[in-house]
Every structure is written in C-alpha cells, then in structure tokens.
Amino acid sequence: LASATVLNLPVRVYRPFYLTGWFIGLCIAVVGVVFYALYRMQIRYYRQQQRLRTQIAADLYEDVGAMLARMAMQSEMATYVSPERSMPMLGEILDTSRVTLDTMRDLIWSIDARYDSCSDMLLRMEEQLEEVLVPAGIAYSFDAKYAKPELPIFPQLRREVFFIFKEALDNSVKLGQPQSISILLSYNGEVLQLRMQERYAPGQLLDEATIRGKQDAFHRASQRAARLQASLQIELSNQGYLLQ
C-alpha cells in the first residue's frame, strides 16, 4: 500500500461583524444618542410651551384684565350719576367691551394651531388693516409679494410678529394720525422681515411729546422681538417711525 499523505489546512472562522463587541457597542451608543436627542427635544418643546403659556397669561392680565377692570369701574360709576350723565359712560363701556372682544379674538387666533401658515397670518394682517386704518382715514399699502403663503410658520413667530404689527398700527392711529402707512413683508421659510413706515402730509411734523409717546408705545414691541431673539430697529423722528 502506498503511504498516505496527510494535508493539514488551517481554517479560521470569524464571527459576523454584527456579533462583534465593537459593533454591538456602537449600536448601543447610537441608540443612546438618539434617545438623548429625543429627550432634549421634548424638554425644549415643553419649555417653549411653558413660555408661551406665560406670555399668554401676561397678555391676558395686562390687556384683557385691565379693560375688564375699567369696564367694572365705569359700570359702578354709572349707577351713581344721573341718567343724562350716565349715557356717555355707557358709550365708553360699549367701546371698551368691543376692544376687549377684539383683543380676546386676537389672543385666541395667536394660539390656534389651525392658523400656523404664512397665508393665515397675511389674511389676519389684511383684516387688521381694514379694521384699524380704514375707519381712521389712513391710507396704506401692503406688499407681501416676497412672502410665500404656503409655507408653515412657527406659532410663537406668528404670534409675536402679528402683535408687533398690530401695536405699530395702534401707535399710528392713536399718536400722530399719518397720511399713509407702507408695509413690506417677506418670508422664505427661515427668515421673516417686516418693514413699516409712516408718511405724513407735507409740512406736518410731530412734536416732542408725540415722539416720546410713540417711543413709550413701542416698548412692548421691543420685548416681543427680544423673546424671538430677533433684530428690531425703530427709528423715530418728527416725520414718524420706521420699523424693521
């Protein structure tokens, strides 16, 4: 018989990479990072909601609360005066109740999730222009051609920008009565720019008291911009304001 030859071949079998320690450790680390990121997002969302609730409560207290207190005081005074003198007071109560209802409507709109789009904000701005400037006899131009109505907008951004816009309109109606106001709005989904400027009749100049009143009235607008960490520049002169 021929002698047999034994051939020894070393065979090494490796574990699949998905069963190795480094891969399992990497997967655990990735899952941990994802859960931590989700946790941080949830905390950030919760804090945003808390800030929004605080701001709404502050607005309700400052605006609606003050007007309701005024209505209560006017109603109480009307009960102690003669019918002839009570009629003007009842008219003031009626005006205050209308303003209160408008304020409540704006606050409810500002937190309603159904209106979280640029088109909804544009529509509400146009309604505000018609309601505030037309009865006061102030002409206006509203250019929103660079805004994209179909884009969504963050609730807090929509809320604060709208109230800055509204407070600027109230400023114009109550202080100075300009001939016209021009509004320019642009929004690309990331950056929103609002520009408003008063224009007075030729030769009409504001006195120092009116300028100081306008400056005080814009205090809340500056606070709203600070909450958004936004840039707000307000230039005041005897020819009105420029807000951007």
Side-chain angles (χ1 to χ4, degrees):
L1 295 176
S3 61
T5 302
V6 178
L7 181 63
N8 294 323
L9 294 177
V11 176
R12 182 176 297 176
V13 179
Y14 293 95
R15 285 186 178 183
F17 72 94
Y18 52 83
L19 295 179
T20 58
W22 67 268
F23 183 80
I24 295 174
L26 179 62
C27 290
I28 294 174
V30 170
V31 171
V33 170
V34 170
F35 274 99
Y36 179 75
L38 292 174
Y39 170 76
R40 295 295 300 175
M41 289 176 60
Q42 186 177 12
I43 293 296
R44 184 165 58 249
Y45 176 77
Y46 174 77
R47 289 176 178 173
Q48 290 176 350
Q49 294 300 311
Q50 288 295 102
R51 285 195 295 267
L52 182 59
R53 291 174 187 169
T54 302
Q55 293 164 14
I56 293 170
D59 287 339
L60 286 172
Y61 178 78
E62 293 178 8
D63 295 335
V64 179
M67 285 184 284
L68 290 175
R70 180 182 177 186
M71 289 173 59
M73 183 182 64
Q74 291 171 337
S75 301
E76 186 175 356
M77 291 177 60
T79 61
Y80 291 101
V81 299
S82 62
E84 294 79 8
R85 295 181 59 189
S86 64
M87 291 304 296
M89 291 184 179
L90 294 176
E92 292 179 4
I93 294 173
L94 179 60
D95 292 338
T96 305
S97 64
R98 288 172 178 168
V99 174
T100 305
L101 288 174
D102 289 340
T103 303
M104 285 293 296
R105 183 183 62 171
D106 291 336
L107 287 172
I108 293 171
W109 173 87
S110 70
I111 60 175
D112 195 331
R114 293 176 298 175
Y115 303 116
D116 287 346
S117 69
C118 188
S119 61
D120 294 314
M121 187 177 69
L122 292 176
L123 179 61
R124 189 68 191 94
M125 284 181 165
E126 291 174 353
E127 291 176 354
Q128 193 70 20
L129 289 168
E130 291 288 334
E131 293 173 4
V132 175
L133 297 187
V134 172
I138 301 175
Y140 66 87
S141 62
F142 185 38
D143 185 358
K145 63 183 178 182
Y146 295 109
K148 298 180 179 179
E150 70 279 2
L151 292 177
I153 187 169
F154 294 111
Q156 186 179 10
L157 177 62
R158 172 172 62 89
R159 167 188 167 81
E160 301 297 354
V161 169
F162 173 75
F163 279 110
I164 290 174
F165 169 81
K166 180 182 177 181
E167 288 162 9
L169 294 183
D170 292 340
N171 189 315
S172 297
V173 173
K174 297 176 181 178
L175 299 169
Q177 288 288 319
Q179 189 178 49
S180 64
I181 300 176
S182 61
I183 303 104
L184 177 64
L185 182 73
S186 63
Y187 180 58
N188 61 6
E190 296 181 357
V191 178
L192 188 145
Q193 294 181 333
L194 174 66
R195 188 179 190 274
M196 301 178 64
Q197 184 174 14
E198 289 182 323
R199 289 186 173 84
Y200 286 83
Q204 183 182 0
L205 300 176
L206 302 179
D207 55 31
E208 292 296 327
T210 303
I211 295 175
R212 286 195 299 269
K214 284 181 173 293
Q215 185 175 8
D216 294 339
F218 275 124
H219 178 66
R220 291 186 65 183
S222 300
Q223 291 179 330
R224 294 185 184 280
R227 287 199 288 261
L228 291 172
Q229 298 181 350
S231 171
L232 180 64
Q233 298 179 356
I234 302 173
E235 300 176 11
L236 289 168
S237 67
N238 57 7
Q239 297 179 345
Y241 68 75
L242 171 61
L243 179 150
Q244 57 186 354

